Amino acid sequence: MSSLVLMLVGLAILILGYVLYSKFLARRVFKLNEDFKTPAHELEDGVDYVPTNKFILWGHHFTSVAGAAPIVGPAVAIIWGWLPAFLWVTFGTVFFAGMHDLGSLWASTRNKGRSIGSLAARYIGKRGAALFLVVIFLLLLMVIAAFAVVITGLLVGTPSSVIPTWGAIGVALLVGVAVYKLKWPLVPVTVVGIVALYSLIVLGDQVPVILPDDFLGIGPASFWIITLFVYGAIASLLPVWILLQPRDYINGVQLFVGLALLYGAVLIGALFTASKPELVAPMWNTDVPAGTPSLVPLLFVTIACGAISGFHGMVSSGTSSKQLDKETDARFVGYFGAVGEGLLSLGTILAVAGGIGSVARWEEIYANFGAGGVNAFVEGGGALMENGIGLPASLSATVLATMAVLFAATTMDTGIRLLRFVVQEIGDAAKFKINKVWATLIVVAVGLGLTFSQGLDGDGGLRIWPLFGTTNQLLASLTLSIIAIMLIRKRRNPLPALLPLVLVFVMSFWAAIEQLITFADPANPDWLLFVLDVVIIVSSIWVAVEAFIAMRKAGRDDPEPADADERLVAVREDL
């Protein structure tokens, strides 16, 4: 099958989802109102609560939620064939991720920018909220530790990405000053920023940075890990407009440029070159390698980001809701942010299913479950660009590797900021005030402790990563339960939240039980992951039961009185 056909069908589904379904959610379900005073205005402090242009906020939100996961997930899941991955990415983005991300952004905005953990206390109860925080803490810890290792692997393995990765920080600082202090127009600043970033990519391709094995006595891997945590700590404490917002915005635009190159390579390659890009991966793989888990339920937790992800709810309620200028911007920021991630996952499927040179090479890469990942994406995507638009292989690899590094880095620094909020919330629940500096130091200490727990090479950072998929999806279902409770209280249609909730919870809970059995295998037990999995399963069941009780109560109680702005929306709709 032609890669071009798959690309066009996928793009059509995602575009129609944004044009049609997101409009339905915004107008009929959430009833977004541009006159509602958002937390960014009500609680503006110039640090966390900052009214932000929706395009800049979209970039911040999108790149914070994207990370490496929408690349890694599909690149691994393609082992079951390209069709299951394609269907879950496209329809999951439209009906699951878009609803979840827009809904959690709306829910937080309607509650003074409170985090999902705080919303759980209000809508589910204090017992459920305490367990909710346990799940959130573990998930964020997995993200910051694992992404530090993933980024380090890319910096060491693709040294041409070092200069653009760190140079992007300087570009972001200049963009932030230009937009917020000098008040320069966004479009020319964006153009200059993108040109500067891609100039750094070209420079990096010509001047790779390779650190010696004995660098500073700790080696390059340890050096990059420590540097990343130090950077993340500083970034999490700075006002968002100085670094995080402009960095994420430029990265978001850069990603779309990269995706345009990738999609353009497929289009040009199919129409104007002799080597037409064909899908070499099987549509449905019935001959998977030994040890590969079953398609159901593992597909639904292997591809999380790019279909639906609980981490997105933490970003929506942790940072994005505090920067939303108008409530109506939530459709573009939240739903289109999910669509952007779907586009990245679709591009990954095209790269690993159609960019790998031959069936034999594809089977060599996918000889074992989990053997794909970022490297398969870089190889396949680089080949597509080289064959389609003539971009040299080394430069193509640098572009894609830099894209992966920058996205993982933006997720990591946002994760540190979010985990700082969680630590402060835990302190508040324990009646113990923790300021943001001490909370950040606690986060960095715990993150570094986990990352170096198995040696200076950072292997400990991936120690609890096997639990990420199930934990992430369980959190997504619990976030959807909060959205459903709010909709029921307001006597609005909860089905757009309830239907994804049921499927995601069943699949992720099923996967968690299968993992529990694997971790207890007498031949190769892993008692740490077993215990953590038990904690996650018990916490999720408890929160789910509390949420079900809260839903029934919300349905029996009197409807929540409409706010003045909601009544205004109803009048406008009648007119």
Side-chain angles (χ1 to χ4, degrees):
M1 180 177 174
S2 169
S3 297
L4 178 61
V5 173
L6 189 67
M7 181 185 81
L8 294 177
V9 173
L11 289 176
I13 293 171
L14 295 173
I15 291 171
L16 286 174
Y18 179 71
V19 172
L20 299 177
Y21 192 57
S22 74
K23 183 179 291 186
F24 164 75
L25 293 176
R27 291 185 177 181
R28 298 297 179 183
V29 178
F30 299 121
K31 299 186 178 180
L32 304 181
N33 177 23
E34 66 178 7
D35 295 325
F36 177 75
K37 190 173 184 179
T38 64
H41 290 282
E42 183 180 359
L43 304 172
E44 183 174 1
D45 62 3
V47 178
D48 294 319
Y49 293 85
V50 180
T52 304
N53 176 287
K54 71 177 183 180
F55 296 102
I56 294 179
L57 182 56
W58 167 83
H60 166 66
H61 176 84
F62 168 48
T63 54
S64 294
V65 301
I71 295 174
V72 174
V76 170
I78 203 77
I79 198 168
W80 290 299
W82 60 258
L83 182 60
F86 173 79
L87 293 176
W88 179 225
V89 162
T90 51
F91 290 103
T93 294
V94 170
F95 296 107
F96 289 67
M99 167 67 197
H100 173 275
D101 294 14
L102 172 56
S104 53
L105 184 54
W106 164 78
S108 179
T109 300
R110 285 282 164 169
N111 286 275
K112 300 184 182 298
R114 293 174 181 168
S115 71
I116 285 297
S118 179
L119 294 181
R122 175 175 180 181
Y123 291 101
I124 295 178
K126 291 184 177 180
R127 290 175 301 184
L131 294 169
F132 211 115
L133 283 176
V134 171
V135 177
I136 291 174
F137 182 87
L138 287 174
L139 182 64
L140 287 172
L141 185 59
M142 293 177 203
V143 168
I144 64 173
F147 276 33
V149 176
V150 169
I151 297 167
T152 294
L154 286 167
L155 292 174
V156 173
T158 312
S160 57
S161 65
V162 172
I163 287 179
T165 294
W166 296 106
I169 296 175
V171 174
L173 291 170
L174 294 175
V175 169
V177 171
V179 172
Y180 285 100
K181 291 300 182 183
L182 302 179
K183 307 296 182 183
W184 289 358
L186 182 60
V187 173
V189 171
T190 301
V191 172
V192 172
I194 290 298
V195 170
L197 184 56
Y198 272 86
S199 298
L200 288 169
I201 290 175
V202 173
L203 176 62
D205 185 55
Q206 299 298 314
V207 188
V209 177
I210 303 174
L211 300 181
D213 291 339
D214 60 347
F215 189 71
L216 297 180
I218 57 176
S222 299
F223 172 77
W224 287 130
I225 289 171
I226 293 171
T227 302
L228 285 165
F229 271 100
V230 171
Y231 156 74
I234 295 172
S236 74
L237 292 171
L238 290 174
V240 290
W241 66 267
I242 292 179
L243 180 56
L244 289 188
Q245 274 187 2
R247 172 183 165 87
D248 294 352
Y249 170 68
I250 287 296
N251 284 346
V253 177
Q254 178 264 150
L255 172 72
F256 266 71
V257 173
L259 285 178
L261 293 174
L262 183 61
Y263 287 135
V266 173
L267 179 64
I268 295 172
L271 297 180
F272 303 107
T273 67
S275 57
K276 313 263 183 215
E278 299 290 328
L279 300 174
V280 297
M283 182 175 72
W284 193 287
N285 194 4
T286 58
D287 187 25
V288 296
T292 301
S294 58
L295 170 66
V296 178
L298 264 295
L299 171 70
F300 299 93
V301 297
T302 302
I303 301 179
C305 300
I308 183 172
S309 166
F311 180 73
H312 295 198
M314 290 187 287
V315 176
S316 294
S317 65
T319 62
S320 299
S321 63
K322 298 175 175 64
Q323 302 167 53
L324 201 65
D325 184 33
K326 297 179 181 178
E327 189 179 55
T328 47
D329 292 347
R331 180 189 172 206
F332 181 76
V333 173
Y335 196 101
F336 192 65
V339 169
E341 190 162 76
L343 289 169
L344 178 55
S345 289
L346 176 62
T348 300
I349 292 172
L350 293 171
V352 298
I356 304 299
S358 64
V359 174
R361 174 57 182 156
W362 188 89
E363 290 177 345
E364 179 185 349
I365 293 174
Y366 287 91
N368 299 291
F369 180 73
V374 175
N375 291 332
F377 167 72
V378 172
E379 178 180 333
L384 283 177
M385 288 185 180
E386 183 178 19
N387 296 329
I389 58 179
L391 205 64
S394 64
L395 183 57
S396 299
T398 301
V399 169
L400 295 174
T402 301
M403 181 191 302
V405 171
L406 291 178
F407 271 74
T410 56
T411 301
M412 182 185 173
D413 56 33
T414 299
I416 291 177
R417 194 181 194 96
L418 292 172
L419 195 51
R420 183 248 291 177
F421 292 151
V422 171
V423 169
Q424 289 179 291
E425 286 183 4
I426 292 174
D428 291 340
K431 309 298 182 185
F432 185 76
K433 187 71 173 178
I434 305 176
N435 65 39
K436 63 181 183 180
V437 174
W438 278 107
T440 302
L441 291 175
I442 291 171
V443 169
V444 171
V446 174
L448 282 173
L450 174 62
T451 306
F452 289 132
S453 62
Q454 292 184 300
L456 290 179
D457 56 359
D459 283 349
L462 298 174
R463 182 71 179 86
I464 61 176
W465 183 252
L467 290 171
F468 172 78
T470 51
T471 307
N472 192 40
Q473 300 303 69
L474 283 168
L475 180 60
S477 65
L478 299 177
T479 300
L480 286 168
S481 70
I482 294 174
I483 297 170
I485 292 169
M486 289 183 64
L487 293 174
I488 293 170
R489 280 189 171 192
K490 293 177 178 294
R491 296 299 186 265
R492 299 180 190 171
N493 181 11
L495 287 179
L498 287 175
L499 295 178
L501 186 164
V502 172
L503 178 64
V504 173
F505 184 81
V506 169
M507 291 299 169
S508 53
F509 187 77
W510 183 357
I513 296 299
E514 286 198 358
Q515 284 186 308
L516 193 67
I517 296 171
T518 302
F519 297 148
D521 183 1
N524 187 29
D526 192 324
W527 297 116
L528 172 62
L529 294 183
F530 180 87
V531 171
L532 290 177
D533 200 8
V534 169
V535 170
I536 291 166
I537 289 171
V538 171
S539 300
S540 300
I541 292 175
W542 196 326
V543 176
V545 170
E546 297 271 4
F548 179 73
I549 294 171
M551 286 182 201
R552 293 191 62 186
K553 185 175 183 300
R556 292 194 301 263
D557 291 346
D558 292 333
E560 191 174 84
D563 297 330
D565 59 286
E566 292 176 324
R567 291 193 293 270
L568 181 60
V569 170
V571 170
R572 286 174 176 170
E573 289 181 347
D574 291 339
L575 293 175

